[in-house]
Every structure is written in structure tokens, then in C-alpha cells.
Amino acid sequence: MSAADTHATEPVTGGRPLASPPVPSGPSARGRGRVRRNRQSRSLPFLLVAPALVIMAGVLGYPLVDTVILSFQDERRGNLWMHTSPPWVGFDQYQSVLGDSQFWHVVLHTVVFVAGCVAATMLLGLLVALLMQRVSNWVRIMMTSVMIVVWAMPLLVSTSVFKFMFDSDYGLVDQLLTRLPGVDMTGHNWFLNPTTGLFIIGVLVVWGAIPFIAISLYSALTQVPKELEEAARIDGARGLGIFRFVTFPVIKPVFVMTTTLSVIWDFGVLGQILLMRNNIPEQDYQLLGLYSYVQAFTVNSYSRSAAISIITVILLSGFSVYYLRQLLKIGEVE
């Protein structure tokens, strides 16, 4: 190709070739500003939650790490008094706990107790929430006020009320049952049988948990579109069918969340049993929380208690993973 051919292919204006357009060497100032603002907007949420994460790491993370370390040691009262380091024993505490038949007996008691309390709490809480949806405004306000009072009542007060109701000498429940024809409950002690004793403690736990569950589910029920229920009713659906196929799918995320919280709370029941049994609970009344407490402050085996606590956390973590999977599935469907 000659120089003449090259000039022939180039556009000319006024005898001079056109200047080639400038090639940008990098983002413009406007583009750089937009990138910087995007980075700031992305980092802002992390900066806002950073203080809460630091506090949670100090309040929750440090005790958890310390408990894990303690579970691999053999710390006794003598180590605390003499300020000596406990010996490391590896997995001996876990092998001792998992090989103890009493531990599995307590686990079985705990699972049955938690399943009964959670089922009763969710069923009664849902019924109360549905009732709140159908009553007038002033009745709903009264119900909400009463439940808030119940929710705010100190554990010591509510336990004292239940102890009075089921007292063997002056119990209100025994006196009312004795008035029934053919029933004599005079001097009946409900706590001589651990099954009935744990049932009464379960009633106390459910009674204290219903307000939170009912108010949470009622808030979820207010988000159910009335148009969907009306359309289902026009299509021929009735009460239970409307609730199953229209109402429950909408409130399911809140229902799953409150069920998970109830399981976690009921797994850690301790104060109700101690107060109902005057701080000296019998062995048949021991659930996982109380069993760990007894091992630490009665048997003075702090490391064994720490191992029981870690095993309990692992059990609850498994349930939490199931809960997170349910939430992710709900999110994918939506």
C-alpha cells in the first residue's frame, strides 16, 4: 500500500485530516464520584451494625469461648479457691457426659417437656390471636393490656401465685376440685408425682409465654389481605380451609420464628423449677438446664457442667439450622 492510497482512505476537511476522537484513559470525575458514593452506601450498613457486633462479641462470644475452654479442663472448687490452673483432660468430660445414662434420661425428659410446652403455647397463642381478630376494639385493647401485665409479671410473683393455687393444704385448685361430685382432693400434693409436678410447671411456662406468641401472631394476622379471604370464601372455602390455604401461608414466617424462640426458651427452663420446688428439686424434676446447674453448683464439677452446656448449644444449633432453612425456603417461594 502506497502513501497515496493511505491519504485516499482518510476523510479530509478543508485539505486537513480530521482529528481522531480522544480515547478516554480512565473513568471521568463524575464516574469516580459515583463509584465512591456506591462504596460508601455499601459500607454504611456495616458501619451502623459494627457497634452492636462488637458488643455481642464481648457479651456472648467471650463467655461461649470461655465455656468451650472450660469443658476441656477439670476445674473443681479447689482450683477456684487456690487460684490454680485446672488440668487439661481433652474430651474426657464429653465422654463422661455422653456415656452417662442419667444424662440421656434428662435429655428425654427435656425433649418431652419442651415438645408439650411448645405445642400448647403455639396452639393457645394462635387461638388467642384469632380471637383478638374477631372481637371489638375495646375488648382487644383489654385483652392486650392483660397479656402485657402477664408478660411483665416477675417470675417470682407468678411462681408464688401458682404455688398458692396448687398448695396441698390451702390450694385453690384442690378446693375447687373437691366441690365436684365424687371427687376428694383434700390434702392432695401434686408434686409427689414428678409427672403431675412437671405438668404444673409446664402450665406455668405456657402461661407466661402465651402473651408474646399471641401478640406476635395477631400482628401477622393483620397483614393477611382481606381480598384473598373473601375470594376464597366466594370460591366455596370455609373456616378451616381458608385458614389452611390462605391465612396460614401469610403468617407462616412469624409462626416459624415464634416456634423456634419457644423451643430455645423452653430448653432453658430453670427458674420455674427451682422456685416451685423451693430450690431443692428432686432428681426426677431435672431438665437439661437444671441438670447443668446442679453439676456446677451442687456437685462442684464446673467443667462437666460446661460440657453439658456445650452439648445443649449443639442440640439447639441443629434446630436453628432447620429454622434458617425453613426461612430460606419461604423466601425462595416468595
Side-chain angles (χ1 to χ4, degrees), residues 173-294:
V173 175
D174 286 355
Q175 294 182 16
L176 292 176
L177 290 176
T178 303
R179 295 176 182 272
L180 297 176
V183 178
D184 185 10
M185 299 293 288
T186 305
H188 178 73
N189 191 340
W190 294 84
F191 294 96
L192 286 180
N193 186 342
T195 303
T196 57
L198 283 175
F199 172 77
I200 294 171
I201 294 173
V203 173
L204 172 61
V205 173
V206 172
W207 179 79
I210 283 179
F212 173 78
I213 303 299
I215 293 175
S216 299
L217 292 179
Y218 171 71
S219 301
L221 287 172
T222 59
Q223 303 304 314
V224 179
K226 300 298 181 185
E227 296 81 5
L228 293 179
E229 294 181 341
E230 187 63 27
R233 195 170 289 110
I234 293 174
D235 291 340
R238 290 297 177 262
L240 187 59
I242 295 175
F243 176 80
R244 179 181 176 184
F245 296 106
V246 177
T247 305
F248 187 73
V250 177
I251 68 172
K252 186 177 180 181
V254 178
F255 191 87
V256 173
M257 180 193 69
T258 51
T259 303
T260 304
L261 292 177
S262 296
V263 171
I264 294 174
W265 290 337
D266 292 348
F267 245 90
V269 167
L270 173 63
Q272 292 90 339
I273 302 176
L274 285 176
L275 293 173
M276 292 291 282
R277 302 306 303 140
N278 298 321
N279 293 326
I280 312 175
E282 297 82 352
Q283 188 172 1
D284 290 334
Y285 280 89
Q286 290 186 0
L287 304 180
L288 268 178
L290 181 60
Y291 185 60
S292 176
Y293 175 84
V294 169

Side-chain angles (χ1 to χ4, degrees), residues 147-167:
M147 286 192 290
I148 290 176
V149 171
V150 172
W151 195 9
M153 186 176 294
L155 179 60
L156 182 61
V157 177
S158 59
T159 306
S160 300
V161 172
F162 269 73
K163 288 178 69 175
F164 164 73
M165 292 173 60
F166 292 95
D167 186 79

Side-chain angles (χ1 to χ4, degrees), residues 83-94:
H83 299 286
T84 57
S85 299
W88 291 87
V89 295
F91 288 93
D92 288 356
Q93 300 292 350
Y94 291 96

Side-chain angles (χ1 to χ4, degrees), residues 65-140:
V65 173
D66 194 46
T67 303
V68 172
I69 295 174
L70 183 62
S71 67
F72 290 103
Q73 298 173 333
D74 187 15
E75 182 161 3
R76 302 280 178 164
R77 182 183 294 178
N79 300 112
L80 294 178
W81 286 6
M82 302 301 293
H83 299 286
T84 57
S85 299
W88 291 87
V89 295
F91 288 93
D92 288 356
Q93 300 292 350
Y94 291 96
Q95 292 177 353
S96 174
V97 171
L98 297 176
D100 187 2
S101 59
Q102 175 64 20
F103 170 75
W104 293 109
H105 182 71
V106 172
V107 171
L108 179 61
H109 265 197
T110 305
V111 171
V112 173
F113 180 83
V114 171
C117 288
V118 172
T121 301
M122 298 308 301
L123 177 61
L124 295 176
L126 179 61
L127 291 176
V128 173
L130 292 172
L131 179 62
M132 292 175 64
Q133 196 181 24
R134 287 160 173 77
V135 296
S136 59
N137 286 335
W138 69 270
V139 175
R140 186 183 308 116

